[in-house]
């Protein structure tokens, strides 16, 4: 702790107090000045920033309490300590409620005063360090994994930037693997809530009771196996953002409960009566056609409108082919470094192969493909043969977007090729019986390559 | 430049104890030290409400009573000292000035309900005299816990430190002397 960087202003109408305190702190190396009344203190605040301000409460004219209010308006970071000969419980409570660091009575024990000031200085150092670290983290987080120079991605960046500053509920839509969670993270990191947690809950494939407990938490004994009280994601997200992935998969009861929480911002843990108030923002994501779900009565319309206030559509990778090489290069650098394999780039045929592929699994599939190629490949170049086999096969069978039948055909062809057209093994992999597989082969006119 | 450090004893401390302390003071500050026994009337600086003596007022009295010009003067008293904002002080000094005061009152084990230990009290007094005189040489409190210029707000802290300044504080005194010699 360097005391000579710390400035202290003593405000007291008694000259002897001002002088003795100033002298006491000066011997410790602090920069000390004093003011005999509030007006002089405010004047001194115009010309210099004071780290710690010691205020007397009873002073002629503006008293210490009022001066404290004015100080807070001018510099909310100043540490204010009241030091008074006329201590009352009321004034102490008022001072501390208004944000004073401490309240001491004159005469003060020198050891106490010494520690008080030293702790105040340490706290200020920690706060300053905290601000610096947050700034550094913000800078680091700006360089997240969202990559893309395509016009579609540029549009998404603009949407993220504009919606992040608001507290609006956002729904991110896009195929699996397009990076919906990264977009949710980018919104959170650019929002006022960035210093609070971003809590993710994947609602997909979670049984009703489990999802309810995950969201709302539970009290001890709420159900068999609930040995301890557990906080839910809603509670954990207090102050921050709750990211609900695969929102289209939640059951009707949880939809209703969630709607109520969004509207009231309060809930009770499963098996509990205590009302818990929370402040959170919801970002949801889905790869489903929720409008269709609403029509079919599978998804509550009121919840849909609550969640879908601002929508961001993430394009599939095949619709932004210009970004494919950029992403591939990024993953190459990332995995080369983490696996300590010095790859410099892709061979021409590997690039061709990557660019011509349909990427039904989008960016996630591309990342996995590059990671695998780095595992099997030999530096310095990734060759076409290092790319996954399925990629080669599927590249000729790009399925039209949104068509379930085309996807099914594509997948059956892939599995048949992998199993060398062995019908039994292929049916087993596809988890259908042989007869069904034969029917599908016939339906799609698939033929064994000669 | 101060030509001499004058120690005025208005306490019950015996001369032979002060003689030993004088050796340390001379060694630390590198200038001659003289000792005089004095009798000070402190009634006018007594605060009956606190039952203590105002050390800042005592400093003023020293400046008024003794010839402090070109000297550093320190007075030893047995009375309990205070400055208005604090409950007590072991001593007080003019920072980069010429007067200092130190009290034996809270340096004695008896004050804390412990058995008398004159040897310990003398060591504490020696450290406090050097500490307060250090301030008159412009020294601030030091963060080195062994340095005599480390701030002590309770008596056990005095016991932790040495009677001598750390290297940096020693150098500060040398520089101070040189600066004032040339001035």
């Amino acid at each position: 702790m360097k005391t000579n960087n710390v400035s202290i202003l003593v405000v007291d109408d008694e000259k002897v107090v001002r002088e003795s305190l100033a002298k006491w702190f000066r011997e410790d190396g602090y920069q000390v000045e004093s003011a005999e009344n509030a007006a002089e203190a405010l004047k001194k605040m115009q010309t210099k920033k004071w780290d710690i301000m010691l205020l007397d409460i009873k002073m002629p004219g503006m008293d210490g309490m009022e001066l404290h209010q004015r100080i807070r308006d001018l510099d909310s970071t100043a540490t204010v300590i009241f030091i008074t000969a006329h201590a009352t419980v009321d004034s102490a409570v008022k001072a501390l409620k208004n944000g004073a660091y401490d309240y001491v009575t004159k005469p003060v024990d020198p050891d106490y005063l010494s520690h008080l000031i030293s702790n105040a200085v340490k706290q200020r150092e920690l706060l300053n360090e905290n601000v610096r670290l947050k700034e550094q983290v913000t800078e680091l987080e700006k360089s997240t994994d969202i990559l893309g120079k395509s016009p579609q991605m540029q549009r998404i960046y603009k949407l993220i930037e504009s919606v992040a500053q608001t507290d609006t509920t956002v729904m991110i839509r896009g195929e699996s693997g397009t990076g919906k969670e990264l977009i949710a993270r980018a919104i959170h990191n650019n929002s006022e809530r960035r210093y609070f947690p971003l809590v993710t809950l994947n609602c997909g494939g979670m049984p009703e009771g489990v999802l309810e407990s995950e969201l709302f938490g539970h009290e001890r004994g709420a159900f068999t196996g609930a040995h301890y009280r557990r906080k839910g994601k809603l509670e954990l997200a207090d102050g921050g953002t709750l990211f609900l992935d695969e929102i289209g998969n939640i059951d009707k009861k949880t939809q209703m409960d969630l709607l109520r929480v969004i509207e009231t911002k309060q809930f009770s843990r499963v098996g509990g009566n205590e009302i818990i108030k929370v402040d959170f923002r919801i970002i949801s994501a889905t790869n489903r056609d929720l409008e269709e779900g609403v029509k079919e009565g599978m998804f509550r319309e009121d919840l849909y409108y609550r969640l879908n206030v601002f929508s961001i559509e993430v394009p599939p990778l095949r619709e932004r082919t210009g970004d494919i090489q950029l992403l591939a290069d990024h993953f190459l650098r990332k995995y080369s470094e983490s696996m300590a394999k010095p790859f410099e780039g892709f061979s021409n045929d590997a690039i061709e192969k990557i660019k011509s592929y349909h990427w039904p699994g989008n960016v996630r599939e591309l990342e996995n493909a590059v990671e695998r190629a780095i595992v099997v490949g030999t530096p310095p170049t990734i060759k076409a043969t290092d790319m996954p086999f399925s990629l080669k096969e599927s590249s000729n069978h790009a399925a039209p977007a949104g068509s379930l039948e085309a996807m099914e055909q594509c997948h059956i062809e892939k599995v048949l090729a992998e199993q060398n057209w062995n019908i039994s093994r292929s049916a087993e992999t596809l988890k259908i019986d042989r007869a069904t597989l034969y029917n599908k082969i016939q339906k799609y006119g698939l033929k064994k390559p000669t | 430049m101060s030509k001499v450090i004058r120690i005025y004893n208005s306490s019950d401390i015996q001369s032979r104890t002060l003689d030993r302390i004088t050796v340390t003071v001379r060694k630390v500050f590198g200038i001659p030290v003289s000792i005089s026994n004095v009798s000070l009337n402190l009634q006018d600086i007594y605060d009956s409400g606190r039952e203590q003596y105002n050390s800042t007022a005592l400093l003023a009295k020293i400046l008024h009573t003794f010839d402090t010009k070109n000297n550093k003067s320190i007075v030893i008293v047995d009375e309990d000292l205070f400055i208005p904002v604090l409950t007590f002080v072991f001593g007080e000094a003019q920072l980069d000035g010429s007067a200092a005061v130190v009290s034996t009152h809270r340096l004695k084990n008896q004050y804390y309900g412990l058995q008398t230990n004159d040897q310990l009290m003398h060591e504490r007094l020696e450290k406090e005299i050097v500490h307060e005189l250090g301030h008159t040489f412009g020294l601030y409190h030091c963060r080195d816990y062994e340095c005599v210029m480390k701030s002590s707000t309770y008596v056990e802290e005095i016991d932790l430190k040495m009677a001598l300044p750390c290297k940096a504080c020693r150098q500060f005194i040398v520089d101070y002397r040189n600066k004032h010699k040339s001035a």
Side-chain angles (χ1 to χ4, degrees):
Chain A
M1 180 181 64
K2 283 187 178 174
T3 55
N4 57 357
N5 293 331
V6 180
S7 56
I8 299 177
L9 183 66
V10 179
V11 188
D12 201 305
D13 58 327
E14 281 184 83
K15 188 181 177 197
V16 68
V17 171
R18 289 199 305 275
E19 286 181 348
S20 56
L21 273 176
K23 186 165 175 288
W24 171 263
F25 292 129
R26 221 165 266 141
E27 284 178 358
D28 272 329
Y30 295 108
Q31 298 172 35
V32 197
E33 280 187 38
S34 58
E36 66 177 314
N37 53 42
E40 193 185 349
L42 291 169
K43 201 174 168 189
K44 281 185 183 284
M45 283 188 78
Q46 304 292 334
T47 52
K48 185 169 172 165
K49 187 175 165 63
W50 298 95
D51 297 315
I52 297 171
M53 301 179 82
L54 284 111
L55 311 185
D56 187 14
I57 291 184
K58 279 198 174 175
M59 290 188 288
M62 191 190 295
D63 70 4
M65 290 291 179
E66 198 182 337
L67 174 61
H68 184 204
Q69 298 284 354
R70 299 281 294 273
I71 290 169
R72 282 174 57 193
D73 293 340
L74 289 170
D75 179 8
S76 59
T77 64
T79 301
V80 170
I81 296 169
F82 281 102
I83 185 159
T84 178
H86 312 280
T88 63
V89 174
D90 280 352
S91 61
V93 169
K94 192 178 170 195
L96 296 175
K97 267 189 173 176
N98 286 339
Y101 179 77
D102 211 333
Y103 179 101
V104 291
T105 48
K106 288 186 268 192
V108 56
D109 180 79
D111 188 44
Y112 183 81
L113 184 62
S114 176
H115 279 97
L116 178 65
I117 298 298
S118 147
N119 287 341
V121 172
K122 277 181 198 159
Q123 193 205 40
R124 289 185 63 80
E125 284 177 344
L126 285 173
L127 286 171
N128 291 338
E129 188 182 18
N130 192 256
V131 170
R132 280 199 305 277
L133 288 172
K134 277 178 179 171
E135 281 168 2
Q136 284 173 18
V137 168
T138 306
E139 282 304 308
L140 287 172
E141 283 179 346
K142 275 182 187 168
S143 58
T144 49
D145 287 337
I146 304 183
L147 282 178
K149 290 182 176 171
S150 59
Q152 295 98 315
M153 288 311 289
Q154 297 298 329
R155 196 178 68 84
I156 285 181
Y157 296 148
K158 279 186 187 156
L159 289 176
I160 290 172
E161 206 178 319
S162 57
V163 79
Q165 301 306 317
T166 70
D167 219 20
T168 306
T169 305
V170 181
M171 183 178 280
I172 306 165
R173 313 175 74 146
E175 290 179 13
S176 190
T178 45
K180 296 188 285 294
E181 186 171 349
L182 287 180
I183 287 169
R185 194 168 290 280
I187 294 171
H188 173 78
N189 289 343
N190 286 284
S191 74
E192 293 291 319
R193 296 178 179 272
R194 63 185 175 278
Y195 300 127
F196 292 90
L198 168 72
V199 177
T200 299
L201 178 63
N202 191 326
C203 310
M206 212 178 264
E208 181 180 320
V210 177
L211 180 58
E212 191 186 18
S213 169
E214 282 289 316
L215 259 178
F216 304 106
H218 60 250
E219 293 291 342
R220 186 180 173 198
F223 46 82
T224 313
H227 300 303
Y228 302 100
R229 171 192 273 188
R230 184 168 179 261
K231 281 187 178 181
K233 303 283 188 191
L234 278 165
E235 235 174 310
L236 296 173
D238 191 22
T241 306
L242 179 65
F243 175 54
L244 298 172
D245 202 1
E246 298 192 40
I247 189 75
N249 294 13
I250 62 173
D251 59 84
K252 295 293 282 283
K253 183 184 177 299
T254 313
Q255 284 180 31
M256 196 172 70
D257 292 340
L258 186 60
L259 178 68
R260 195 176 302 129
V261 178
I262 293 171
E263 283 172 349
T264 62
K265 297 274 166 140
Q266 60 183 39
F267 66 96
S268 297
R269 295 190 195 101
V270 177
N273 295 318
E274 186 194 346
I275 301 290
I276 297 159
K277 291 186 175 170
V278 278
D279 168 36
F280 59 86
R281 173 193 210 169
I282 283 195
I283 301 177
S284 59
T286 184
N287 55 6
R288 284 192 173 185
D289 185 351
L290 276 192
E291 289 81 355
E292 200 59 37
V294 169
K295 274 184 203 163
E296 289 171 2
M298 299 300 291
F299 201 87
R300 289 183 70 101
E301 192 174 8
D302 41 11
L303 179 61
Y304 168 77
Y305 285 116
R306 277 278 180 188
L307 295 174
N308 194 29
V309 179
F310 189 94
S311 178
I312 296 179
E313 194 82 36
V314 192
L317 190 54
R318 63 183 168 277
E319 286 180 16
R320 50 179 186 122
T321 48
D323 287 335
I324 291 178
Q325 184 158 1
L326 180 81
L327 286 160
D329 287 340
H330 167 73
F331 294 132
L332 179 92
R333 280 193 300 276
K334 179 179 166 182
Y335 289 106
S336 293
E337 200 171 297
S338 67
M339 293 183 205
K341 292 182 86 171
F343 279 99
E344 289 167 6
F346 296 90
S347 67
N348 288 338
D349 55 346
I351 281 290
E352 274 310 306
K353 197 173 187 178
I354 289 170
K355 282 185 175 172
S356 61
Y357 183 55
H358 177 61
W359 298 110
N362 291 295
V363 184
R364 187 185 293 132
E365 187 184 5
L366 173 61
E367 180 170 3
N368 292 344
V370 175
E371 184 182 1
R372 182 193 176 279
I374 286 171
V375 171
V376 299
T378 311
T381 312
I382 296 283
K383 298 172 194 69
T385 49
D386 298 332
M387 300 309 289
F389 174 72
S390 62
L391 196 153
K392 181 180 76 181
E393 289 302 307
S394 302
S395 60
N396 300 322
H397 305 289
S403 161
L404 185 62
E405 283 198 341
M407 288 296 288
E408 185 181 69
Q409 178 190 344
C410 187
H411 186 59
I412 291 170
E413 270 191 287
K414 178 174 157 282
V415 171
L416 284 168
E418 280 171 0
Q419 301 299 341
N420 205 19
W421 274 78
N422 181 311
I423 300 298
S424 297
R425 285 207 303 268
S426 298
E428 200 181 316
T429 305
L430 291 163
K431 297 201 179 350
I432 53 175
D433 58 43
R434 287 162 47 87
T436 307
L437 181 55
Y438 274 119
N439 286 337
K440 301 268 182 197
I441 290 170
Q442 200 172 9
K443 178 183 169 186
Y444 297 125
L446 303 179
K447 287 199 171 80
K448 186 177 181 180
T450 49
Chain B
M1 169 63 196
S2 304
K3 295 187 178 104
V4 66
I5 291 172
R6 296 192 189 280
I7 299 176
Y8 295 103
N9 181 23
S10 179
S11 72
D12 291 339
I13 299 294
Q14 293 182 352
S15 297
R16 65 169 184 274
T17 303
L18 285 176
D19 287 342
R20 281 201 298 273
I21 292 175
T22 303
V23 175
T24 307
V25 172
R26 190 179 297 126
K27 185 177 161 189
V28 171
F29 297 102
I31 55 174
V33 182
S34 73
I35 306 170
S36 315
N37 287 317
V38 293
S39 176
L40 287 173
N41 178 4
L42 303 181
Q43 274 317 109
D44 54 336
I45 61 163
Y46 181 66
D47 185 317
S48 55
R50 296 180 58 148
E51 297 181 342
Q52 287 175 303
Y53 295 80
N54 187 321
S55 78
T56 311
L58 180 53
L59 277 183
K61 199 180 196 46
I62 294 167
L63 290 167
H64 181 73
T65 311
F66 303 112
D67 175 20
T68 53
K69 198 179 175 189
N70 294 327
N71 295 319
K72 305 283 188 195
S73 299
I74 185 163
V75 169
I76 307 165
V77 295
D78 285 328
E79 286 75 11
D80 192 15
L81 300 178
F82 77 96
I83 58 172
V85 76
L86 297 179
T87 49
F88 76 93
V89 288
F90 291 121
E92 194 184 347
Q94 286 184 303
L95 192 64
D96 192 14
S98 52
V101 58
V102 65
S103 162
T104 61
H105 191 83
R106 292 182 190 239
L107 303 181
K108 295 171 182 167
N109 264 4
Q110 305 89 290
Y111 178 82
Y112 305 96
L114 301 171
Q115 218 169 15
T116 305
N117 185 338
D118 286 340
Q119 173 65 29
L120 184 62
M121 197 277 279
H122 296 158
E123 285 173 11
R124 288 170 179 169
L125 179 63
E126 180 183 43
K127 291 171 189 175
E128 280 309 285
I129 287 174
V130 175
H131 180 95
E132 295 306 338
L133 282 170
H135 283 314
T136 66
F137 278 76
L139 274 168
Y140 293 107
H141 285 152
C142 180
R143 279 186 291 164
D144 184 337
Y145 72 97
E146 286 194 318
C147 175
V148 72
M149 291 312 296
K150 174 87 172 73
S151 167
S152 308
T153 49
Y154 54 100
V155 78
E156 289 82 2
E157 273 189 327
I158 302 175
D159 298 338
L160 281 175
K161 63 188 183 185
M162 315 286 282
L164 301 173
C166 67
K167 196 177 167 188
C169 291
R170 262 202 322 270
Q171 187 56 49
F172 186 95
I173 295 167
V174 171
D175 293 343
Y176 182 93
R177 277 208 317 261
N178 291 338
K179 189 177 153 194
H180 286 78
K181 198 185 284 176
S182 56

